[in-house]
Amino acid sequence: MRKLFRTILRYVQENKFEARLLSNIDWPILLMVWGISLFGVVSIFAATASSTAGVGETLMETIKLHPITYARLQLIWILVGVVAMAAMCYFSYRLYGELANIIYWANIALLVTVLLFARVGRGGMQAFFEWGGGERGIQPSEFGKIAIIIALAKLFSMRKKPIRTLRELFPVLVYVGLPLILIVLQPDVGTALVYAFVFALLILISGTNFRIIGGILMIGAMMIVVLWGVMNSGGENFRFTRILIWLEPENYPDDAMQVVNAQIALGSGGLFGKGLVSEGSFASLGYIADDHTDMIFAVVCEAFGFVGGGALILAYLLLIMRMVRHALRMQDAFGSYIIFGVVGMLLFHIMENICMVIGLLPVTGIPLPFVSYGGSSYLTNILGIGLVENVIMRQKQHGMPEGKVKAVKI
């Protein structure tokens, strides 16, 4: 342990933040993230507007007439996110690689602690540490996404060749499977799917042959069948019901109202939307459950129409494409895997959230990055962006093969 601390101290001293690194920041990425984030605050305000407050003569008068609690809190989270992102960039991403094992096991410890001590909350989930009478909480599995990205990026970058056999694959499956199982036990299937998607993307990029990938898909399919059977055997299970609602919404008219109303609101916005605050809108009447969190995209399309929804998707696309461009140009394997990991995390969230709102996928409670209300989710995503900027800023400083860097053993 003493040797570990000496190694960390030496590495920190050698990799202090220098002002010259600021010239390497990718400002388009930051501007797109902050633009989407501010658009999210506006959308959260639209989602939580009152149906009876009316519309003022000016924008400021309209804002004063409606509740701004959630929009204000989200704005605070954005400011906290700026600090968190700066902190993530302060030390070289190589330090996180040195500490990958510690970060991985710290994540495991938090997930176990949640299962042992957290209160069972909404939907039977045991995933939050709560305070303030249960009105405030933090979800460790959210921050665990950053931990698993760092851990898997280090794991794959340290390999001299891609995984070619099942014997090589098995320890990797165990490595990623341990936190995944702990999250499923919470149970939080949506977050577990994010972990699985990040792993699938990184193993594909690593150059693993398609025979191995096919085997992984078969294992995944068998796990889905087993999970389906478990959900179906326990009597009333809202996760199983969600899948049935997605497959046969006409047979569950009451339970399907969230998705049905979200789709009606989405379509009612037309080309340019009903406006930020519209009397009689589905959002203001409270017809869409979780409209400021999971179903925020329906509010975006109702308030800003096809143009607003399309612009948001375009912004996401440009953000993803720019990060992929950096990842492909990266000389450092560890840095490249980190960026692809963050891309996988954001991409799954975006696709799953939008597809569940429009009815292409069942509802899983996956928030829309930088737009949905939620502190844990926002901080996780902004830490991911900070990690990407960290890699980009230091790519000239660390343009060397990953194999020259030794991991710290614990």
Side-chain angles (χ1 to χ4, degrees), residues 99-141:
L99 302 175
N101 286 334
I102 295 177
I103 293 172
Y104 173 84
W105 288 110
N107 180 40
I108 296 297
L110 281 174
L111 294 177
V112 171
T113 304
V114 166
L115 288 174
L116 293 177
F117 300 108
R119 184 180 67 87
V120 177
R122 179 184 175 186
M125 283 183 59
Q126 197 172 354
F128 291 85
F129 290 124
E130 297 178 340
W131 64 89
E135 295 183 1
R136 299 286 183 270
I138 188 170
Q139 186 176 3
S141 61

Side-chain angles (χ1 to χ4, degrees), residues 54-93:
V55 181
E57 294 183 0
T58 65
L59 177 61
M60 290 306 299
E61 289 182 3
T62 300
I63 292 175
K64 291 179 180 179
L65 291 173
H66 294 269
I68 61 170
T69 302
Y70 288 107
R72 183 178 61 223
L73 286 173
Q74 187 72 358
L75 188 58
I76 292 173
W77 281 119
I78 292 175
L79 297 177
V80 173
V82 172
V83 177
M85 184 169 56
M88 178 63 79
C89 290
Y90 186 80
F91 299 112
S92 171
Y93 70 96

Side-chain angles (χ1 to χ4, degrees), residues 38-344:
L38 293 176
F39 182 73
V41 173
V42 174
S43 300
I44 291 169
F45 173 78
T48 56
S50 171
S51 61
T52 59
V55 181
E57 294 183 0
T58 65
L59 177 61
M60 290 306 299
E61 289 182 3
T62 300
I63 292 175
K64 291 179 180 179
L65 291 173
H66 294 269
I68 61 170
T69 302
Y70 288 107
R72 183 178 61 223
L73 286 173
Q74 187 72 358
L75 188 58
I76 292 173
W77 281 119
I78 292 175
L79 297 177
V80 173
V82 172
V83 177
M85 184 169 56
M88 178 63 79
C89 290
Y90 186 80
F91 299 112
S92 171
Y93 70 96
R94 284 300 184 102
L95 177 60
Y96 305 133
E98 294 280 334
L99 302 175
N101 286 334
I102 295 177
I103 293 172
Y104 173 84
W105 288 110
N107 180 40
I108 296 297
L110 281 174
L111 294 177
V112 171
T113 304
V114 166
L115 288 174
L116 293 177
F117 300 108
R119 184 180 67 87
V120 177
R122 179 184 175 186
M125 283 183 59
Q126 197 172 354
F128 291 85
F129 290 124
E130 297 178 340
W131 64 89
E135 295 183 1
R136 299 286 183 270
I138 188 170
Q139 186 176 3
S141 61
E142 278 290 331
F143 299 106
K145 296 172 186 175
I146 302 299
I148 201 66
I149 287 171
I150 294 174
L152 289 177
K154 188 65 178 180
L155 180 69
F156 282 114
S157 64
M158 290 295 290
R159 295 188 60 86
K160 295 181 179 180
K161 59 181 181 179
I163 295 173
R164 297 297 185 187
T165 65
L166 291 176
R167 178 179 295 180
E168 294 176 350
L169 175 65
F170 182 74
V172 179
L173 289 177
V174 172
Y175 191 74
V176 73
L178 180 56
L180 194 147
I181 290 172
L182 291 173
I183 293 171
V184 170
L185 291 175
Q186 291 181 357
D188 187 357
V189 178
T191 301
L193 290 175
V194 178
Y195 280 55
F197 186 84
V198 169
F199 169 67
L201 179 62
L202 292 187
I203 200 170
L204 177 64
I205 291 170
S206 70
T208 301
N209 62 49
F210 287 99
R211 189 181 307 172
I212 295 295
I213 294 175
I216 295 174
L217 292 175
M218 290 181 62
I219 293 173
M222 288 187 290
M223 291 180 62
I224 291 174
V225 172
V226 172
L227 186 60
W228 179 276
V230 170
M231 290 191 300
N232 195 20
S233 63
E236 188 67 22
N237 187 302
F238 82 95
R239 292 173 185 82
F240 180 69
T241 303
R242 278 180 173 180
I243 297 175
L244 294 179
I245 291 171
W246 172 58
L247 295 174
E248 302 173 340
E250 66 279 0
N251 294 336
Y252 302 86
D254 295 331
D255 295 325
M257 288 305 296
Q258 180 191 35
V259 176
V260 171
N261 287 344
Q263 292 173 7
I264 294 174
L266 186 147
S268 67
L271 186 60
F272 296 105
K274 297 178 179 178
L276 184 60
V277 177
S278 175
E279 295 183 7
S281 66
F282 274 56
S284 65
L285 293 172
Y287 284 170
I288 309 173
D290 301 320
D291 55 357
H292 63 302
T293 54
D294 301 344
M295 294 291 167
I296 192 71
F297 187 70
V299 176
V300 168
C301 293
E302 182 181 39
F304 306 106
F306 176 81
V307 172
L312 178 60
I313 294 174
L314 179 61
Y316 280 134
L317 180 61
L318 293 174
L319 177 63
I320 294 296
M321 288 177 62
R322 190 163 186 87
M323 288 194 292
V324 169
R325 175 173 171 267
H326 279 293
L328 293 175
R329 292 184 173 186
M330 197 66 52
Q331 295 179 339
D332 177 21
F334 178 51
S336 182
Y337 279 121
I338 281 179
I339 298 178
F340 273 121
V342 175
V343 166

Side-chain angles (χ1 to χ4, degrees), residues 8-9 11-22 25 81-96 382-383 385-394 397-398:
I8 294 173
L9 182 61
Y11 200 87
V12 168
Q13 292 174 343
E14 293 175 354
N15 292 273
K16 291 180 180 179
F17 186 85
E18 300 177 8
R20 64 183 178 83
L21 291 174
L22 293 174
I25 289 178
V82 172
V83 177
M85 184 169 56
M88 178 63 79
C89 290
Y90 186 80
F91 299 112
S92 171
Y93 70 96
R94 284 300 184 102
L95 177 60
Y96 305 133
I382 205 68
L383 286 173
I385 295 298
L387 200 53
V388 169
E389 288 286 0
N390 192 328
V391 175
I392 293 172
M393 283 194 302
R394 291 177 168 86
Q397 179 181 351
H398 293 308

